[in-house]
Each structure stands twice: as C-alpha cells, then as structure tokens.
C-alpha cells in the first residue's frame, strides 16, 4: 500500500530541481560573476581591462576596508551578546512557570523583527536627533541637558548607537528560535535537576545550553551572516559617517561600485566580504561548540 502512493524518483527529482536551480541562479551565479569582474578594471561601461589580481592587492592594502571589517566585527560581537544573549535570558524568563500571558510576550517580542530595516533606521535616527530626538528630550527632562549631543556625529559612539537598534530589532527573532528549541526539552529533566538542588543558573548553563547547542550554532551563524553584510540601518542613519567612523564592508562596496563607478574593485570587495564571512562563521562555530559542550554539574 505504501509503495503504491510513494512518488516516483523522477517526480521527487524534478520537485527538488526547481528550488536548486533558483538557489544556484540567485546565489552562485552572482558570486561567480563578481569573481569574474574582480579581475578587471571596469567602470561599468562596455569596456573593461584585465588587471589580474591587482584589485585584490589593492584590497589588502586598503585601510578603509580594514576599518570597515573591524566595524563589522564590532557589530557581530555586540549582536551575538545583545541579540542571542538577551534572547536566551528572556526565553528563560518567559519559559518560567511563574510567567503569565506567555503568548503576548512572544508576540510583542517578535514584532520589531517584522518592521523594515529602513523604517527602523529612520525611527532611531529620530530618537537620536539633536533638536527633536527622544534621547535629548529625556536628558533635558532629568536635568542633564548639558549632556545632549548630536549623537550620530560622535565618532567614538556611533558604532554603539548603530548596534542598539540592530539588537533591539532582532532579539525577538532569536527568542522564537531558542524558545522552540527549549520547548522540545523534556520538562522532567528540569524537575529532576530542581529536586537535586540545581538552581536556575545551573540549569541554564549545565542543562539548557548543551541541549540546544545546535540551535545556538544556527543562531550564531545567522547573526554573523546578517551583521557581516549589514547595510540598511547604517545607510539610513549615517551613510558611513562621520568620516568613515561607521563604514561597514557592504556599504563601502556599494560606494566604491556605484558612487565611484569602480565596478571591478567593488566586485573584489564583494568577494572579500564573502571569504571573511566564511572565516568568521567557521571560527565562531568552533568557539560555540567548545563553550556549549556537555559539562557535569559541580
């Protein structure tokens, strides 16, 4: 009976073939095209001049690209701690037996993730605005008006100020992922641990973390991939300024390609972003695997 309703292999093959073709067309072909153009000096017109690996030599010496890579790493670290770390804490709080109206908490926690990144950028730009921003208004309200600043023009603070809306927007996204993983854990494990005297912190570190290790790896990978190509928020809020204080790799590649009309070098920057992202993702996966390995309760 089961064999009679099982689809034929060629049917399964053709169903799988369509998404594979779409994936290859939308991911690998643009990547290979960028790799091809990165070996040319090309201003975007019909004429281009082959220059070998000169674009990559220039990229290795490019101080702006190095600085942009550092800013991306800053965002990655801040968002892993702020997004995934806070999401993990909030999930433990929501999953507690003492928490009421859990569905409302999940809904409102996830809501910012549904808003456009451009809209988020405009919202937080208004919050930081010198004349009409909520931040300076609050400082005036508590008698700290002298501390009011043109916040997004502060080179030493601008990356932190950009990281805050990124963290705020995606905490709920990772809450949903982590919550689904914790919900699949047998509750009897927590009950036995509690009877054995394990407190909430010990249960979180020695039980929850090892059991959701694979989910955390997925969260870290998604977080790194998203922040290594961060663009929308920063383009709206600062456009990389002041100076290059908030320049990130994707924004730098965009400016080189379209503002400076240097498509060849912009393609090399794209390949550089891809390679560096892979390196950072693989390294982070090893670190997460090391710190979430099974441990015995002391």
């Amino acid at each position: 009976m089961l064999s009679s309703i099982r689809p034929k292999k060629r049917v399964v093959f053709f169903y799988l073939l369509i998404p594979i073709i779409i994936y290859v067309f939308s991911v690998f072909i643009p990547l290979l095209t960028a790799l091809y153009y990165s070996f040319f000096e090309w201003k975007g017109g019909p004429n281009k001049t082959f220059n070998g690996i000169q674009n990559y030599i220039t990229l290795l010496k490019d101080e702006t690209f190095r600085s942009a890579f550092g800013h991306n790493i800053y965002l990655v670290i801040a968002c892993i701690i702020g997004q995934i770390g806070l999401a993990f804490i909030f999930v433990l709080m929501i999953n507690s037996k003492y928490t009421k109206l859990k569905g409302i908490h999940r809904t409102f926690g996830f809501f910012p993730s549904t808003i456009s990144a451009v809209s988020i950028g405009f919202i937080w730009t208004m919050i930081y605005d010198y004349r009409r921003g909520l931040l300076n208004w609050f400082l005036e309200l508590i008698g700290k008006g002298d501390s009011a600043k043109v916040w997004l023009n502060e080179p030493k603070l601008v990356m932190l100020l950009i990281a805050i809306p990124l963290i705020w927007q995606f905490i709920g996204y990772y809450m949903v992922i982590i919550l689904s993983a914790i919900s699949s854990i047998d509750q009897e494990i927590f009950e036995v641990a509690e009877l054995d005297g394990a407190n909430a912190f010990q249960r979180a570190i020695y039980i929850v973390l090892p059991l959701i290790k694979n989910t955390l790896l997925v969260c870290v990978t998604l977080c790194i991939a998203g922040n290594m190509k961060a663009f929308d928020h920063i383009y709206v809020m600062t456009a990389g300024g002041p100076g290059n204080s908030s320049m990130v790799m994707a924004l730098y590649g965009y400016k080189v390609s379209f503002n400076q009309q240097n498509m060849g070098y912009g393609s090399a920057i794209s390949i550089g972003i891809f390679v560096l992202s892979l390196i950072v993702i693989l390294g982070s996966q090893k670190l997460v695997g090391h710190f979430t390995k099974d441990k015995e309760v002391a």
Side-chain angles (χ1 to χ4, degrees):
M1 180 67 181
L2 289 176
S3 59
S4 63
I5 62 174
R6 182 181 301 167
K8 296 179 181 180
K9 290 184 178 179
R10 66 172 180 269
V11 175
V12 175
F13 172 78
F14 281 113
Y15 271 115
L16 293 176
L17 184 63
I18 294 173
I20 290 173
I21 291 174
I22 294 174
Y23 182 78
V24 169
F25 181 77
S26 60
V27 175
F28 285 102
I29 290 180
L31 184 63
L32 293 174
T33 303
L35 179 63
Y36 171 75
Y37 286 135
S38 68
F39 295 110
F40 291 87
E41 182 181 348
W42 181 41
K43 301 300 182 182
N47 301 319
K48 50 185 178 290
T49 305
F50 180 78
N51 64 358
I53 61 171
Q54 184 58 48
N55 285 329
Y56 292 100
I57 295 172
T58 304
L59 186 64
L60 292 174
K61 299 177 181 179
D62 193 334
E63 291 295 334
T64 304
F65 182 77
R66 291 181 188 177
S67 174
F69 174 63
H71 294 153
N72 279 102
I73 294 298
Y74 179 95
L75 287 178
V76 166
I77 295 172
C79 289
I80 287 176
I81 296 171
Q83 292 174 353
I84 301 175
L86 290 177
F88 180 73
I89 294 171
F90 290 158
V91 165
L92 293 178
M93 294 170 62
I94 292 173
N95 214 39
S96 170
K97 59 184 177 182
Y98 302 107
T99 304
K100 306 298 182 183
L101 303 174
K102 295 182 180 181
I104 293 177
H105 292 299
R106 294 169 189 162
T107 302
F108 280 97
F110 184 74
F111 177 72
S113 304
T114 64
I115 304 175
S116 163
V118 174
S119 299
I120 296 291
F122 279 121
I123 290 169
W124 282 85
T125 300
M126 289 187 286
I127 291 173
Y128 295 139
D129 186 80
Y130 178 72
R131 295 179 181 274
R132 296 172 292 275
L134 289 177
L135 183 54
N136 283 342
W137 171 82
F138 178 74
L139 290 173
E140 291 280 356
L141 186 66
I142 63 175
K144 298 288 185 180
D146 293 340
S147 300
K149 299 178 181 179
V150 183
W151 293 99
L152 294 178
N153 282 350
E154 294 289 324
K156 294 182 179 179
L157 293 175
V158 67
M159 287 306 301
L160 174 62
L161 298 175
I162 286 171
I164 290 172
L166 280 168
I167 292 170
W168 173 78
Q169 182 176 12
F170 290 105
I171 287 177
Y173 176 78
Y174 293 107
M175 279 176 58
V176 171
I177 298 174
I178 295 172
L179 186 61
S180 65
I182 293 179
S183 299
S184 65
I185 300 174
D186 191 345
Q187 294 301 310
E188 291 183 1
I189 297 175
F190 298 110
E191 294 171 3
V192 171
E194 191 172 357
L195 290 173
D196 287 340
N199 57 37
F201 178 79
Q202 289 173 324
R203 293 196 299 271
I205 298 299
Y206 298 110
I207 296 175
V208 177
L209 277 179
L211 290 176
I212 66 169
K213 179 175 69 173
N214 292 332
T215 301
L216 288 178
L217 283 171
V218 172
C219 290
V220 169
T221 302
L222 291 172
C223 185
I224 293 173
N227 288 289
M228 288 298 284
K229 60 182 181 64
F231 176 84
D232 314 64
H233 299 80
I234 300 171
Y235 182 78
V236 170
M237 295 176 71
T238 65
N244 290 323
S245 298
S246 62
M247 183 68 70
V248 289
M249 293 187 293
L251 182 56
Y252 183 52
Y254 169 83
K255 287 193 171 186
V256 167
S257 298
F258 299 104
N259 291 359
Q260 300 176 18
Q261 292 296 309
N262 193 346
M263 299 292 186
Y265 188 48
S267 297
I269 291 173
S270 300
I271 299 299
I273 295 171
F274 174 74
V275 172
L276 291 172
S277 299
L278 283 181
I279 292 171
V280 174
I281 288 171
L282 292 175
S284 66
Q285 287 179 343
K286 290 186 179 295
L287 283 175
V288 172
H290 173 73
F291 286 111
T292 58
K293 65 183 179 181
D294 295 344
K295 301 175 183 177
E296 295 181 359
V297 180

